[in-house]
Amino acid sequence: MTYAEFSKLIQVSKKDICRETFAENRKTIRIKKEKTVVKNLEKIFGAVLKISNQKGFQAMTMRDLSQESGLSMGALYAYFSGKDELVEMLQHQRRSISGRIINETVNAQKTPWGKLKAAIYTHLYLSEAMQPWFYFSFMEAKNLNKEERKKAVLSEQNSEKMFTEIIKEGQAEGVFSDCHGELAAGQIKALLQDWYLKHSKYTKRNVTVEQYAKLTLEFVEAFLMNGAKASSTSLTPS
Amino acid sequence: MTYAEFSKLIQVSKKDICRETFAENRKTIRIKKEKTVVKNLEKIFGAVLKISNQKGFQAMTMRDLSQESGLSMGALYAYFSGKDELVEMLQHQRRSISGRIINETVNAQKTPWGKLKAAIYTHLYLSEAMQPWFYFSFMEAKNLNKEERKKAVLSEQNSEKMFTEIIKEGQAEGVFSDCHGELAAGQIKALLQDWYLKHSKYTKRNVTVEQYAKLTLEFVEAFLMNGAKASSTSLTPS
DNA sequence: GTCTATATACGGATAGAC
DNA sequence: GTCTATCCGTATATAGAC
């Protein structure tokens, strides 16, 4: 599947995200007219991600946000009670969307190799569609309050666990080489993360997400489908 | 080489780092007695890295730093003129040390595979010895002033370029498969970065830096030494 | 629903005693 | 060399007009 096809199939436009956010935050958002809220949430999220990803969320002042979003300070506080709640909305939204989409696409596959391919492609395409969100999550996670940090760690563990299970399933069926499952999963995640962490580097070099996905798949394939040699990776001390 | 051997060979103890820092900042540091300065720089750097890596450099107040380091606010300002200069010292120091060590160890090797091995091991061992420094550099780079951001990008590019050149050299000699050199270098860097970015994860799972280095090397070897298949990775549009 | 103006608090930096 | 006390700018959050 190409990225263009993925984008049409999956609803991850800015508007979609904001509509969903509104639905889940009817209580705390003081404005009630959906059209107004969605329009302004788009401005707000866009501005937060832009400023934060440039100079950090802590360094972003409410005045910065007001200027960039075109809303006054007073208006902003009608949408969230403070920076803490704002960041919580952002984080929750990203997790909710990506969790849903990844589960859907991976569960549609039946073979381990099919699942692994789907997981890699979906991760990459999703992080392309929501690059500023993924970047924000990674860079700001540690700066948030205890509750949010906990959720971030849990979400990260779940994601890695999914890869581990696919690999172990493939090993049980004899299609993947006998390497250390958890570690291999970690390596794969590291490669996927590089796409959204160094996004501007890849854009400057005219590398598309399809090319990066293909490369990553080949990299992983060379390791996982290459029986004999890789087995030495088990973690028994030598 | 094991990590223990590396640590003894290379001078990267906290004291060594602080002595070097003092030598390079004699003008701006108001205190003149080396023993005092080194002792206090150790406290200061330790505290900065601890607090910043927990909740971010911006969020760290001078009061936090004063409490954690055990020095008063007034005393702190005898060692640096403000947060900007403090961070500049940290960044400069990390770059200077790692640049020197990596060049030394890689240039000691003559074959491409030897160089690649040396580059991977040295990067990992160094980022183990100075993990909080590496983590800090990665997470805070974008929040710094223009000058510092520029240096960070340049240093990152240089490091990647070194890997690219080793790979291309190996391809010219016919020992590495004919993949896209820049992209492969980027993938290797992503794997190396994971070690210091997710350091606590690996520690919790009792993975040592030697094991991680071995795994990474196998991962890279499977891709670079696996001629036929990998050639499809060239970036000509299909 | 959105704006401007402001209360309140907090953080960086320094002066001057010891 | 180090400490305490304090100045002053700036940031968050709210009150109240439109």
Side-chain angles (χ1 to χ4, degrees), chain A residues 191-207:
Chain A
L191 295 179
L192 300 182
Q193 267 165 357
D194 210 55
W195 178 254
Y196 60 84
L197 289 181
K198 316 259 176 70
H199 196 257
S200 66
K201 178 182 88 174
Y202 290 115
T203 304
K204 265 180 209 132
R205 297 187 189 170
N206 293 314
V207 180

Side-chain angles (χ1 to χ4, degrees), chain B residues 14-234:
Chain B
K14 291 187 186 84
K15 242 189 194 59
D16 298 316
I17 296 173
C18 294
R19 240 192 300 272
E20 209 177 310
T21 306
F22 178 49
E24 295 189 17
N25 293 277
R26 275 231 160 69
K27 301 138 205 162
T28 54
I29 295 176
R30 281 213 301 274
I31 318 300
K32 294 303 165 196
K33 214 166 66 182
E34 166 156 324
K35 203 172 165 171
T36 311
V37 175
V38 171
K39 182 191 70 184
N40 284 335
L41 277 183
E42 273 189 66
K43 287 187 197 162
I44 293 170
F45 286 164
V48 172
L49 292 171
K50 179 175 174 186
I51 303 169
S52 299
N53 290 349
Q54 265 171 22
K55 63 177 190 180
F57 181 71
Q58 298 265 2
M60 178 196 76
T61 70
M62 291 300 291
R63 286 172 178 82
D64 290 338
L65 182 55
S66 165
Q67 181 158 31
E68 180 72 32
S69 68
L71 288 156
S72 69
M73 304 253 303
L76 289 174
Y77 280 95
Y79 292 88
F80 50 84
S81 68
K83 283 179 88 179
D84 276 2
E85 197 175 296
L86 174 59
V87 87
E88 203 256 312
M89 272 165 66
L90 272 169
Q91 289 288 73
H92 176 78
Q93 211 50 33
R94 190 202 62 85
R95 272 197 300 272
S96 143
I97 293 176
S98 41
R100 176 166 47 80
I101 293 178
I102 288 181
N103 279 330
E104 277 173 17
T105 53
V106 171
N107 289 336
Q109 297 293 320
K110 290 303 161 208
T111 66
W113 179 243
K115 282 185 188 177
L116 190 60
K117 255 176 92 165
I120 288 174
Y121 268 88
T122 311
H123 265 95
L124 287 173
Y125 283 179
L126 197 57
S127 68
E128 171 69 11
M130 298 180 73
Q131 190 271 335
W133 299 69
F134 277 73
Y135 185 82
F136 180 92
S137 288
F138 188 92
M139 299 304 277
E140 303 295 343
K142 75 170 195 303
N143 309 335
L144 309 179
N145 64 44
K146 206 176 167 186
E147 193 61 28
E148 282 300 310
R149 286 205 309 272
K150 214 170 181 173
K151 282 185 197 161
V153 171
L154 220 66
S155 151
E156 175 66 19
Q157 282 174 342
N158 272 334
S159 159
E160 192 166 326
K161 206 170 161 189
M162 164 185 254
F163 279 100
T164 307
E165 275 162 14
I166 296 175
I167 292 172
K168 292 199 168 166
E169 197 183 323
Q171 288 171 333
E173 292 186 17
V175 289
F176 292 159
S177 67
D178 184 31
C179 63
H180 191 284
E182 277 89 4
L183 282 183
Q187 305 271 69
I188 293 173
K189 284 232 65 179
L191 295 179
L192 298 182
Q193 267 165 358
D194 210 56
W195 177 254
Y196 60 83
L197 290 180
K198 317 258 177 72
H199 196 257
S200 66
K201 177 182 89 174
Y202 291 114
T203 305
K204 263 180 210 133
R205 297 188 189 167
N206 293 316
V207 180
T208 67
V209 66
E210 280 103 344
Q211 289 167 332
Y212 189 83
K214 187 158 167 281
L215 169 71
T216 306
L217 216 62
E218 284 167 3
F219 209 104
V220 171
E221 193 181 357
F223 190 65
L224 277 182
M225 307 290 223
N226 190 14
K229 176 168 289 165
S231 66
S232 66
T233 312
S234 65

Side-chain angles (χ1 to χ4, degrees), chain A residues 74-88:
Chain A
L76 289 174
Y77 281 96
Y79 293 87
F80 49 83
S81 68
K83 283 177 88 180
D84 275 3
E85 196 174 295
L86 174 60
V87 87
E88 202 255 312

Side-chain angles (χ1 to χ4, degrees), chain A residues 28-218:
Chain A
T28 54
I29 296 177
R30 281 212 303 272
I31 319 300
K32 294 303 165 197
K33 214 165 65 180
E34 166 156 323
K35 206 173 163 171
T36 312
V37 175
V38 170
K39 183 190 71 181
N40 284 335
L41 277 183
E42 272 188 67
K43 288 186 197 165
I44 294 171
F45 286 164
V48 173
L49 293 171
K50 180 176 172 184
I51 304 169
S52 300
N53 290 349
Q54 265 171 24
K55 64 177 190 180
F57 180 73
Q58 298 266 0
M60 179 196 75
T61 69
M62 293 300 289
R63 284 176 182 80
D64 290 337
L65 182 54
S66 166
Q67 182 158 29
E68 180 73 32
S69 68
L71 288 155
S72 70
M73 305 252 308
L76 289 174
Y77 281 96
Y79 293 87
F80 49 83
S81 68
K83 283 177 88 180
D84 275 3
E85 196 174 295
L86 174 60
V87 87
E88 202 255 312
M89 273 167 67
L90 271 170
Q91 289 287 74
H92 175 78
Q93 210 52 31
R94 190 201 63 84
R95 272 196 300 271
S96 144
I97 293 176
S98 40
R100 177 164 47 79
I101 293 178
I102 289 182
N103 278 332
E104 277 173 15
T105 53
V106 171
N107 289 337
Q109 298 293 320
K110 290 303 160 208
T111 66
W113 179 243
K115 282 184 188 179
L116 189 61
K117 254 175 93 166
I120 288 175
Y121 268 89
T122 310
H123 263 94
L124 287 174
Y125 284 178
L126 197 58
S127 69
E128 170 69 10
M130 298 180 72
Q131 190 270 335
W133 299 69
F134 276 73
Y135 185 81
F136 180 93
S137 288
F138 188 92
M139 298 304 278
E140 304 294 343
K142 75 170 193 306
N143 308 335
L144 310 179
N145 64 45
K146 205 176 169 185
E147 192 61 28
E148 281 300 309
R149 287 205 308 273
K150 213 172 182 173
K151 282 185 196 160
V153 171
L154 219 66
S155 151
E156 176 66 19
Q157 282 174 342
N158 271 334
S159 159
E160 193 165 326
K161 206 171 162 189
M162 164 184 254
F163 278 100
T164 307
E165 276 164 13
I166 295 175
I167 292 173
K168 292 200 169 164
E169 197 183 324
Q171 289 172 332
E173 292 186 18
V175 290
F176 291 160
S177 66
D178 186 32
C179 63
H180 190 283
E182 275 89 3
L183 280 184
Q187 304 272 68
I188 294 173
K189 284 233 66 180
L191 295 179
L192 300 182
Q193 267 165 357
D194 210 55
W195 178 254
Y196 60 84
L197 289 181
K198 316 259 176 70
H199 196 257
S200 66
K201 178 182 88 174
Y202 290 115
T203 304
K204 265 180 209 132
R205 297 187 189 170
N206 293 314
V207 180
T208 66
V209 66
E210 280 103 344
Q211 289 168 333
Y212 190 83
K214 188 158 165 281
L215 170 72
T216 306
L217 216 61
E218 284 168 3

